[in-house]
Amino acid sequence: MKSATTFAAAGVLAAMFAMPSAHAGATLDAVKAKGFVQCGVSTPFPGFAATNEKGEWSGLDVDVCRAVAAAVFGDATKVKYSPLTAKERFTALQSGEVDMLSRNTTWTLTRDSGMGMNFAGVNYYDGQGFMVSKKLGVDSAKKLDGASVCIQSGTTTELNLADYFRANNMKYEPITFEKSDETVKAFEAGRCDVLTSDQSQLYALRILMADPESAVVLPEVISKEPLGAPWCVMAMMTGSKSCVGHCLRWWKQKTSVWILPISMKRPRVKTQASSVLSGQMKVMRRTCHWTRNGLTTSSSKWVTTANRLSVMLARVLL
Amino acid sequence: MANNNAPPAIETNLTPGKPPFWNDPEKRALLFQVLLVIGIFVFFAYIFSNTLYNLEKRGINTGFAFLSSPAGFGIAQSLIPYTEADTFGRTFFVGLLNTLLVAVLGVIFATLLGFIVGVSRLSKNWLVSRIALGYIELFRNIPLLLQILFWYRAIMPMFPSPRESYSVGDLAFANNRGLFIPSPIPEAGFDWTLWAIAIAVSGIFLLRRWARQRQEATGQQFPVLWVSLGLLIGLPGLVFLLSGSPLSWDVPKLAGFNFKGGISIIPELGALVLALSIYTAAFIAEIVRSGIQSVSKGQTEAAASLGLKPNRTLQLVTIPQAMRVIIPQLTSQYLNLTKNSSLGVAVGYPDLVAVFGGTTLNQTGQAVEIIFMTMLVYLTISLLISFFMNIYNKKMALVER
């Protein structure tokens, strides 16, 4: 009897150790098996990710998701959106609840290294700014000593704010909320003097206010916020031509179609991916004041950066 | 001839023979228990190593080294000195102290209000008892989050902006940024007053004990309340005046956008404590009512027949016996209140969950360690509250013959 029990117990233990540990599979395989891309976007936010009355999503970040779905499946509608607050976005991505995050997330070293995520590109270069009520009569951020500031928790906004005020020897009172619309409500109620966030967010949130004309965005931009997405997307300013070039080459591989920016004087092949992308380009041109005339896709001096980016992308996709 | 005097050999070994190892029920039970303990241990070790393996595979940092990295963000209210250059470990303590502050304030106000409403519910006055009933039914049934949001969004904005604050004699100010009251600044020589207060408090305890002994011996009552009050106010006051009034006040002044100086109570704290107290008081009122009704009617009648007035009956006869029923339920309400304080994150109050489990978690990305630490804190607080309430419970328990 004793030997039987012992053998049974030993067998159970051996089976437990022999079981393979659950491990993270490759994202692309999982997405292909699922049949759609689960995309994390921001809670409704005009210009980047917003729903209309019918529940259809539109915006810059939404277009990125649709472009990825088009690249993987050839069908831009095979994507589902999860609105995530700033607090839950990283844990959702880390745990695999969403496949990618297209959520005006600043690309920082900490986030790229120790959090198990990879940023694959930038789709919007932004900066942090301040919004105050016109009633206060303040015209510069340097005059904000002692002010109460409404912030969204868990963002680079908090850190930049602390650094800026410390560098200028000013004091402030931080009031942190989880969601951006709570910060706007507190700002409108007068709980805080200043609302701080990326400038694109400030302008978007101002549209949602009851009286947009009563608030003014101060001219100071106190940080550089490259908003990226952990997937390869179009970048828009000098220095990221390599990423653009590589993006185009990658899409050519996936969809065997050259997707070209609007301004290039070459005949465009209309596919779903390209129309999504050209729609995205239109949005970017309108909202981001892109003034470049066009992009070259094969320029030798960008080859090495393209190679580096392709290594990075291979890690993400494979 | 055989010697027949010796009695036949009697079997003196009456104990049954020990069964072999594998048939002995005691040994078997022991073996199964040991196997179970080993199994549980192995299970948790497997879970732990699996988590570590997965985190490493995904490239997520593990370990508690982040507790010594600089935090870089500001916190609205901190009971200990805190700057942005302090570590994440310090944000943990700031959040913890804020949670404890809300818990302590909430417990005090909820108990006071709950007892008053609970006793009013049993009043013979029809109006008073109906008002208490309305209070209980209203605040018990509305979810706590909605109540917190109501106090914060509907009531707090009714206060004016800092430039038009309500003020009491230019000393205390109330506006939508908070309540600002002057803070005392003790100067040299204030220690004597503190010692005088400590001596007065211990004197009051001794006085109560002496008065009770005297009453049990001779039956004479001693006005303990008035003498205690006089002692508490008179002795420290005398020492204070004699040492030259070593106290100055830091009066809050409007400087630019906000008030500087003095003690400030932010509206988030006010809304949270108010909502928590009112909500929990509704539950405590019902608990108090159940406790009072559990005391048998014979006690009240006997007290009345002795000539005790109704409020003296309540104070001396009913409530001390009702406490035995009230205390365990009160314990769970205190635990609920402490855990409900985490809802302060909805109004931006920097408690443990908001500061440590929210901002720090997002900045470092180490969800497993941070949530584990936060759960451990709440578990410890709850166990401590239960422990102290159980001590009080044992003291009040019926000692049967």
Side-chain angles (χ1 to χ4, degrees):
Chain A
M1 180 81 88
K2 172 196 170 204
S3 47
T5 336
T6 325
F7 274 124
V12 165
L13 290 177
M16 278 177 74
F17 277 115
M19 264 196 319
S21 301
H23 65 278
T27 312
L28 189 60
D29 292 339
V31 164
K32 280 190 180 150
K34 248 190 334 195
F36 61 91
V37 178
Q38 186 75 36
C39 195
V41 295
S42 44
T43 49
F45 180 32
F48 285 85
T51 44
N52 58 12
E53 317 82 47
K54 294 195 219 107
E56 293 156 5
W57 288 86
S58 62
L60 185 62
D61 291 336
V62 166
D63 284 341
V64 167
C65 300
R66 291 175 62 214
V68 169
V72 175
F73 298 111
D75 181 3
T77 57
K78 285 210 166 90
V79 56
K80 294 207 175 116
Y81 303 98
S82 313
L84 297 168
T85 63
K87 204 169 124 172
E88 46 192 36
R89 51 188 166 165
F90 296 130
T91 31
L93 186 64
Q94 283 173 335
S95 64
E97 200 183 308
V98 294
D99 300 312
M100 62 176 280
L101 212 51
S102 176
R103 201 217 163 272
N104 48 286
T105 303
T106 308
W107 189 347
T108 68
L109 187 59
T110 316
R111 290 174 184 175
D112 207 0
S113 55
M115 286 195 180
M117 311 184 295
N118 279 324
F119 280 81
V122 178
N123 69 349
Y124 192 94
Y125 274 89
D126 208 348
Q128 183 175 336
F130 300 101
M131 181 157 76
V132 294
S133 164
K134 282 195 184 135
K135 272 199 317 238
L136 288 174
V138 168
D139 56 353
S140 157
K142 297 228 170 21
K143 300 193 183 140
L144 289 176
D145 193 5
S148 310
V149 186
C150 279
I151 339 166
Q152 212 184 349
S153 83
T155 54
T156 49
T157 317
E158 280 182 288
L159 308 174
N160 293 331
L161 178 73
D163 288 342
Y164 181 73
F165 272 74
R166 194 171 50 230
N168 288 301
N169 277 327
M170 301 195 293
K171 292 246 180 313
Y172 70 103
E173 189 202 339
I175 301 145
T176 40
F177 296 95
E178 282 201 1
K179 301 206 190 89
S180 52
D181 49 338
E182 286 173 7
T183 57
V184 178
K185 281 203 192 85
F187 176 69
E188 283 185 293
R191 173 69 183 89
C192 45
D193 303 300
V194 185
L195 182 59
T196 180
S197 181
D198 299 335
Q199 283 217 326
S200 60
Q201 275 216 19
L202 288 178
Y203 283 108
L205 292 174
R206 193 172 72 155
I207 298 173
L208 296 174
M209 279 170 61
D211 183 13
E213 293 307 313
S214 65
V216 63
V217 176
L218 294 176
E220 276 86 354
V221 174
I222 68 171
S223 73
K224 288 187 172 43
E225 307 277 326
L227 303 181
W231 215 265
C232 179
V233 291
M234 303 279 280
M236 335 159 354
M237 279 172 61
T238 29
S240 2
K241 280 195 287 191
S242 56
C243 189
V244 172
H246 188 82
C247 252
L248 299 180
R249 263 189 285 276
W250 176 66
W251 262 301
K252 162 83 167 78
Q253 278 169 13
K254 291 283 172 206
T255 62
S256 44
V257 151
W258 275 112
I259 296 161
L260 305 168
I262 299 167
S263 56
M264 293 267 303
K265 297 179 179 60
R266 261 195 247 181
R268 256 187 313 156
V269 181
K270 274 230 180 245
T271 63
Q272 203 154 17
S274 75
S275 51
V276 164
L277 224 42
S278 59
Q280 180 189 12
M281 296 294 293
K282 282 199 199 115
V283 169
M284 284 201 291
R285 284 190 78 135
R286 237 198 330 250
T287 61
C288 313
H289 313 292
W290 191 31
T291 53
R292 290 192 66 78
N293 268 337
L295 299 163
T296 56
T297 55
S298 54
S299 165
S300 57
K301 66 179 176 176
W302 300 110
V303 164
T304 44
T305 36
N307 281 338
R308 264 190 273 132
L309 272 172
S310 62
V311 168
M312 188 173 75
L313 275 166
R315 267 191 11 233
V316 168
L317 294 175
L318 304 173
Chain B
M1 211 130 51
N3 190 354
N4 286 339
N5 287 343
I10 303 173
E11 183 67 55
T12 50
N13 186 11
L14 289 173
T15 57
K18 276 238 163 129
F21 220 102
W22 51 86
N23 264 342
D24 185 2
E26 280 179 20
K27 295 273 187 325
R28 249 208 319 257
L30 187 65
L31 180 67
F32 283 140
Q33 285 176 41
V34 166
L35 280 180
L36 185 66
V37 167
I38 292 177
I40 291 176
F41 182 71
V42 162
F43 174 72
F44 279 109
Y46 170 70
I47 296 271
F48 185 67
S49 66
N50 191 25
T51 310
L52 278 181
Y53 173 74
N54 275 336
L55 286 175
E56 206 177 295
K57 196 136 191 297
R58 287 176 193 254
I60 302 173
N61 284 340
T62 51
F64 289 94
F66 71 93
L67 286 173
S68 38
S69 320
F73 59 90
I75 301 179
Q77 175 193 291
S78 166
L79 295 176
I80 50 177
Y82 172 80
T83 64
E84 288 87 0
D86 285 322
T87 59
F88 285 118
R90 201 158 173 91
T91 66
F92 173 75
F93 287 112
V94 171
L96 179 60
L97 284 173
N98 284 341
T99 299
L100 288 176
L101 176 71
V102 170
V104 165
L105 287 177
V107 158
I108 294 173
F109 290 128
T111 314
L112 279 173
L113 190 58
F115 267 84
I116 292 173
V117 175
V119 170
S120 321
R121 177 83 180 85
L122 293 166
S123 158
K124 301 256 184 334
N125 187 334
W126 182 88
L127 188 63
V128 169
S129 77
R130 287 297 169 268
I131 290 178
L133 173 68
Y135 171 94
I136 292 172
E137 291 307 322
L138 182 67
F139 289 105
R140 225 173 27 161
N141 293 318
I142 299 181
L144 179 57
L145 184 59
L146 292 183
Q147 292 190 36
I148 296 176
L149 289 176
F150 168 75
W151 286 107
Y152 188 66
R153 296 256 172 84
I155 303 296
M156 294 300 156
M158 278 167 39
F159 284 90
S161 68
R163 298 191 179 165
E164 303 130 18
S165 319
Y166 299 137
S167 77
V168 173
D170 264 355
L171 285 176
F173 301 89
N175 51 49
N176 65 2
R177 303 288 162 83
L179 182 63
F180 299 89
I181 48 182
S183 70
I185 305 177
E187 294 161 3
F190 191 67
D191 295 357
W192 295 108
T193 315
L194 289 175
W195 279 114
I197 294 178
I199 292 173
V201 168
S202 41
I204 289 172
F205 276 109
L206 293 171
L207 182 73
R208 266 190 63 167
R209 208 152 53 143
W210 169 81
R212 193 172 302 161
Q213 282 169 354
R214 192 177 96 138
Q215 183 176 2
E216 285 181 15
T218 64
Q220 287 174 329
Q221 282 193 326
F222 190 79
V224 176
L225 181 66
W226 295 113
V227 173
S228 318
L229 268 177
L231 195 60
L232 191 60
I233 296 177
L235 184 62
L238 194 64
V239 171
F240 182 69
L241 287 170
L242 282 178
S243 55
S245 312
L247 198 66
S248 61
W249 296 94
D250 184 13
V251 180
K253 277 191 245 331
L254 182 60
F257 294 99
N258 283 320
F259 279 88
K260 286 204 172 72
I263 300 176
S264 66
I265 300 168
I266 52 177
E268 285 84 26
L269 176 62
L272 190 60
V273 169
L274 211 56
L276 274 175
S277 311
I278 292 179
Y279 176 78
T280 315
F283 288 87
I284 292 180
E286 283 294 272
I287 291 170
V288 166
R289 180 171 77 103
S290 76
I292 293 177
Q293 283 180 334
S294 75
V295 177
S296 72
K297 198 112 190 337
Q299 296 284 303
T300 343
E301 289 173 355
S305 70
L306 282 174
L308 284 176
K309 286 195 247 178
N311 61 330
R312 291 293 276 173
T313 314
L314 202 62
Q315 178 193 344
L316 295 170
V317 173
T318 317
I319 296 238
Q321 296 184 63
M323 289 304 261
R324 241 178 276 121
V325 171
I326 293 176
I327 297 290
Q329 304 181 57
L330 214 56
T331 315
S332 19
Q333 287 307 318
Y334 290 166
L335 297 179
N336 271 343
L337 193 146
T338 309
K339 287 177 285 172
N340 281 337
S341 68
S342 61
L343 285 173
V345 73
V347 294
Y349 180 70
D351 73 318
L352 183 66
V353 168
V355 164
F356 196 62
T359 312
T360 304
L361 189 152
N362 218 293
Q363 302 291 358
T364 59
Q366 300 194 224
V368 175
E369 289 90 350
I370 290 179
I371 298 289
F372 176 70
M373 280 173 76
T374 311
M375 291 199 314
L376 208 60
V377 164
Y378 278 108
L379 183 65
T380 311
I381 294 177
S382 301
L383 286 176
L384 275 175
I385 294 181
S386 304
F387 178 69
F388 285 118
M389 295 303 263
N390 276 336
I391 292 178
Y392 188 57
N393 218 5
K394 276 211 189 74
K395 261 184 30 181
M396 303 290 277
L398 266 177
V399 178
E400 312 226 329
R401 258 185 287 179

